[in-house]
């Protein structure tokens, strides 16, 4: 079954990679692992640049939309919500064959831009690598959330006159100052759940002059500066509360500031093992990581199964300290001490392992009769 589907995927892949048309190369591609196939996709001409701003060598992917994007645009995508764009890292996330298959089926940057920018008018400027977060946010929301430039056949009627001679490849755009912008009242009134603007830094350390400039950029309403990423691996739950007669269908929601992500639902299990990694951006003013467990119900509101909060400030501080140091060997960097004032079952040790700053945490769920949740955190600088 896999070889048949892989053959179709290979044919699609070869449309942009003619050099792989030999039979031996075809067989090698079909049996290669997901990371190797992902690397091949990254080398396609259209995927070498961010689909939205044209920045070179993008390290992130919207797996739901099928586009390769840069770190700055990935933050905008993440703020749209996973129902629109699910963002994964090419280097930090573990990819499965199914995820790579899905990405190939979507077609890559060239195909997706032809669809979502089919009606892009000449007077709308596509962001460039040095564009502001405001410009990126406005364009990306109009492109993927409001579908204002969508293929006319899928959008029934094209709201704009498409530009002629425009290429859909990333990093290219044309504009005209003689054509007025369309009426935007309707667009401005539309709201988005968890809408946030973003601005980024390229590393944990920042000079004072950069800080002053950043504060000016964040004075705009809704702008949030991110200083890094936290990779949260929801490992498992133990002895969770019963909500469906004798069992439950639990899932976990993680929230950091205005961002929220959730795990899959595990059916009929009070000791579920998710082992599912989710990524959140860390705001400069670091809020607690909120964890809420729910029981999935098909015919009524989902039932509450407990909550907890995690102070990630110690983890972030350890990551900043490590980046400025010359430490290479594995070691303990610190810990979050369990006490009656927090929800820890035991001390949350912060350690350095293989160049990664991690913390293992066991949480006693609150406002519920029982339940423990095990989580692993990893702090990631934006440069990765």
């Amino acid at each position: 079954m896999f070889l048949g589907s892989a053959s179709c995927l290979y044919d699609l892949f070869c449309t942009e990679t003619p050099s792989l048309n030999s039979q031996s190369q075809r067989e090698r591609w079909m049996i290669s692992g997901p990371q190797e196939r992902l690397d091949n996709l990254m080398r396609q001409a259209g995927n070498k640049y961010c689909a939205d701003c044209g920045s070179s060598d993008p390290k992130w992917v919207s797996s739901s939309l099928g586009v390769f994007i840069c770190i700055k645009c990935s933050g905008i995508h993440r703020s749209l919500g996973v129902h629109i764009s699910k963002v994964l890292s090419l280097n930090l996330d573990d990819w499965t064959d199914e995820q790579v298959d899905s990405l190939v089926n979507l077609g890559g940057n060239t195909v997706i831009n032809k669809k979502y920018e089919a009606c892009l008018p000449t007077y709308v400027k596509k962001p460039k690598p040095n564009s502001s977060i405001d410009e990126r946010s406005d364009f990306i929301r109009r492109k993927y959330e409001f579908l204002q430039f969508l293929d006319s056949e899928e959008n029934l009627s094209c709201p704009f006159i498409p530009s002629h001679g425009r290429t859909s490849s990333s990093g290219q755009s044309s504009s005209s100052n003689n054509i007025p912008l369309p009426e935007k009242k309707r667009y401005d009134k539309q709201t988005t759940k968890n809408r946030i603007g973003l601005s980024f830094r390229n590393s944990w350390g920042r000079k004072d002059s950069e800080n002053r400039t950043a504060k000016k950029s964040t004075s705009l309403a809704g702008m949030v500066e991110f200083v890094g990423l936290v990779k949260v691996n929801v490992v498992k739950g133990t002895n969770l509360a019963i909500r469906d007669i004798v069992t439950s269908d639990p899932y976990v929601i993680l929230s950091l500031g205005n961002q929220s992500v959730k795990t899959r639902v595990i059916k009929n299990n009070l000791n579920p093992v998710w082992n599912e990694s989710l990524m959140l951006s860390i705001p400069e003013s670091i809020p607690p990581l909120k964890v809420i467990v729910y029981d999935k119900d098909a015919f009524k509101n989902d039932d509450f199964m407990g909550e907890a909060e995690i102070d990630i400030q110690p983890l972030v501080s350890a990551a900043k300290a490590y980046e400025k140091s010359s430490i290479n060997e594995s070691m303990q960097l610190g810990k979050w001490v369990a006490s009656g004032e927090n929800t820890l079952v035991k001390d949350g040790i912060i350690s350095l392992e293989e160049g990664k700053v991690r913390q293992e945490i066991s949480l006693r769920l609150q406002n519920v009769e029982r339940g423990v949740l095990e989580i692993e955190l990893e702090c990631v600088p934006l440069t990765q």
Side-chain angles (χ1 to χ4, degrees):
M1 181 181 296
F2 171 74
L3 289 178
S5 62
S7 177
C8 295
L9 293 170
Y10 178 87
D11 292 337
L12 177 61
F13 178 61
C14 280
T15 60
E16 284 199 7
T17 317
S19 61
L20 297 180
N21 283 327
S22 71
Q23 180 64 26
S24 62
Q25 288 173 318
R26 178 188 183 94
E27 293 174 353
R28 190 182 309 121
W29 187 89
M30 289 191 294
I31 63 175
S32 59
Q35 191 60 50
E36 183 178 349
R37 293 164 58 214
L38 189 62
D39 291 341
N40 288 333
L41 289 174
M42 292 164 57
R43 288 193 287 269
Q44 287 186 29
N47 298 337
K48 292 181 179 179
Y49 300 91
C50 174
D52 297 325
C53 76
S55 294
S56 61
D57 196 24
K59 299 297 186 184
W60 299 82
V61 171
S62 170
S63 61
S64 53
L65 294 170
V67 288
F68 290 72
I69 51 180
C70 69
I71 181 65
K72 294 184 178 181
C73 289
S74 75
I76 308 295
H77 276 257
R78 194 177 290 110
S79 72
L80 298 177
V82 294
H83 62 292
I84 296 176
S85 183
K86 183 176 181 180
V87 179
L88 295 176
S89 168
L90 293 170
N91 299 326
L92 301 174
D93 287 301
D94 295 324
W95 288 73
T96 65
D97 282 313
E98 291 74 17
Q99 287 174 320
V100 178
D101 289 349
S102 176
L103 192 61
V104 176
N105 276 327
L106 288 169
N109 286 3
T110 301
V111 172
I112 298 302
N113 277 351
K114 284 180 180 179
K115 172 183 176 181
Y116 284 93
E117 297 179 11
C119 295
L120 187 64
T122 57
Y123 51 80
V124 173
K125 293 183 179 180
K126 187 169 180 176
K128 298 179 180 179
N130 61 348
S131 292
S132 69
I133 296 302
D134 256 353
E135 292 172 317
R136 294 174 197 271
S137 179
D138 180 72
F139 179 81
I140 290 172
R141 293 183 68 217
R142 294 175 75 178
K143 179 178 177 179
Y144 300 110
E145 182 178 3
F146 300 125
L147 305 178
Q148 291 187 349
F149 319 130
L150 191 65
D151 189 321
S152 58
E153 292 184 0
E154 298 193 29
N155 208 26
L156 298 183
S157 61
C158 188
F160 306 116
I161 300 174
S163 57
H164 297 289
R166 175 187 295 275
T167 62
S168 295
S169 60
S170 42
Q172 295 182 342
S173 62
S174 59
S175 62
S176 173
N177 295 326
N178 298 323
I179 304 176
L181 289 172
E183 178 62 48
K184 294 181 67 178
K185 288 184 178 179
R186 182 179 178 185
Y187 165 65
D188 289 337
K189 288 183 179 179
Q190 298 185 59
T191 59
T192 307
K193 184 178 180 182
N194 299 334
R195 178 181 185 269
I196 53 176
L198 314 169
S199 63
F200 294 83
R201 285 293 173 269
N202 289 329
S203 68
W204 292 109
R206 293 190 297 268
K207 298 178 181 178
D208 291 339
S209 60
E210 291 176 328
N211 257 329
R212 287 193 292 270
T213 303
K215 288 179 180 177
K216 290 181 181 179
S217 68
T218 56
S219 63
L220 298 173
M223 297 298 288
V224 175
E225 181 180 1
F226 288 162
V227 297
L229 302 164
V230 59
K231 184 177 182 180
V232 185
N233 182 31
V234 182
V235 181
K236 65 179 181 179
T238 303
N239 197 29
L240 299 184
I242 296 174
R243 290 294 179 266
D244 297 330
I245 304 178
V246 295
T247 188
S248 295
D249 302 328
Y251 67 93
V252 179
I253 292 180
L254 304 172
S255 298
L256 189 66
N258 292 323
Q259 310 160 80
S260 292
V261 291
K262 68 178 182 178
T263 67
R264 68 189 185 279
V265 177
I266 295 185
K267 296 284 189 179
N268 303 320
N269 203 322
L270 299 179
N271 298 284
V273 177
W274 287 281
N275 200 27
E276 184 171 348
S277 293
L278 303 166
M279 197 85 71
L280 292 161
S281 300
I282 304 173
E284 185 175 40
S285 179
I286 303 174
L289 174 63
K290 296 183 178 180
V291 181
I292 307 178
V293 183
Y294 284 102
D295 166 61
K296 183 67 177 178
D297 281 321
F299 305 107
K300 61 178 183 177
N301 292 336
D302 294 349
D303 297 318
F304 177 78
M305 293 180 64
E307 61 185 349
E309 288 191 355
I310 302 174
D311 181 7
I312 64 170
Q313 180 67 63
L315 179 70
V316 175
S317 297
K320 289 182 178 180
Y322 164 65
E323 188 184 45
K324 297 176 182 178
S325 73
S326 57
I327 300 173
N328 293 318
E329 67 275 11
S330 298
M331 63 180 299
Q332 179 177 322
L333 299 178
K335 64 180 177 180
W336 184 24
V337 179
S339 70
E341 297 179 356
N342 57 44
T343 61
L344 292 180
V345 175
K346 58 183 179 180
D347 292 349
I349 304 299
I350 302 172
S351 60
L352 175 64
E353 301 174 10
E354 299 178 349
K356 298 178 180 180
V357 180
R358 294 171 171 166
Q359 184 175 23
E360 295 183 358
I361 294 177
S362 293
L363 296 167
R364 185 178 294 106
L365 296 174
Q366 302 296 294
N367 303 314
V368 69
E369 57 269 30
R370 69 188 198 193
V372 172
L373 201 63
E374 293 187 21
I375 288 178
E376 298 172 349
L377 304 178
E378 179 183 335
C379 210
V380 184
L382 285 178
T383 48
Q384 296 188 25

